[in-house]
Amino acid sequence: MGAFDLLRIAGSSLGAHQTWLDALANNIANVNTITPTSQGAFQAQMPVLASAAGGGVEVTGIALGDATGRLVNDPSNPLADADGYVRAPDIDLASQMTQLVMAQRGFQASVQVTKDAQDTYSSALQIGRG
């Protein structure tokens, strides 16, 4: 492991967690998005991660949830079909909120690793000065 690999690896973790947080925020913001039954529902997003060459992690894509969603009977909705149905995303808000806490904690841990590595490297550079 090179001298500054820890910073690179922690930085890659920060980027991955930020992507995860962004996807979760988008999912939560669209949990109540309604579309006509003739269209697909909002598709939840989830980052796809892989090990990066030399250590760390990288986002290799975004997996999308099922566009089928779920049918909701709401005849008063202007988007309802002739039978009174609209399409809603099949997103479990409780699961999204749980993942949000995990992503936030992972981000915070990566920030702390970055700070600790910076402090260690700074101290090492101070050796011999004086």
Side-chain angles (χ1 to χ4, degrees):
M1 187 182 276
F4 294 101
D5 285 345
L6 187 56
L7 285 174
R8 183 181 47 75
I9 291 168
S12 73
S13 177
L14 283 169
H17 281 94
Q18 183 63 58
T19 301
W20 190 15
L21 286 165
D22 291 344
L24 289 166
N26 192 31
N27 294 346
I28 292 167
N30 285 287
V31 74
N32 292 320
T33 299
I34 300 297
T35 58
T37 55
S38 60
Q39 296 178 9
F42 172 81
Q43 295 174 271
Q45 302 171 354
M46 184 62 168
V48 177
L49 306 176
S51 296
V57 66
E58 63 183 348
V59 177
T60 59
I62 300 290
L64 297 176
D66 189 4
T68 304
R70 58 187 170 82
L71 293 179
V72 176
N73 189 312
D74 187 3
S76 64
N77 192 307
L79 299 176
D81 63 14
D83 296 322
Y85 286 95
V86 293
R87 193 170 304 280
D90 192 16
I91 297 174
D92 178 29
L93 184 57
S95 171
Q96 295 295 302
M97 294 302 289
T98 300
Q99 290 183 51
L100 185 65
V101 170
M102 291 187 308
Q104 182 182 21
R105 296 291 186 257
F107 186 89
Q108 289 170 338
S110 296
V111 167
Q112 190 61 50
V113 168
T114 301
K115 287 179 182 178
D116 290 347
Q118 288 173 335
D119 291 345
T120 300
Y121 294 145
S122 179
S123 295
L125 291 172
Q126 297 302 318
I127 295 174
R129 290 188 179 176

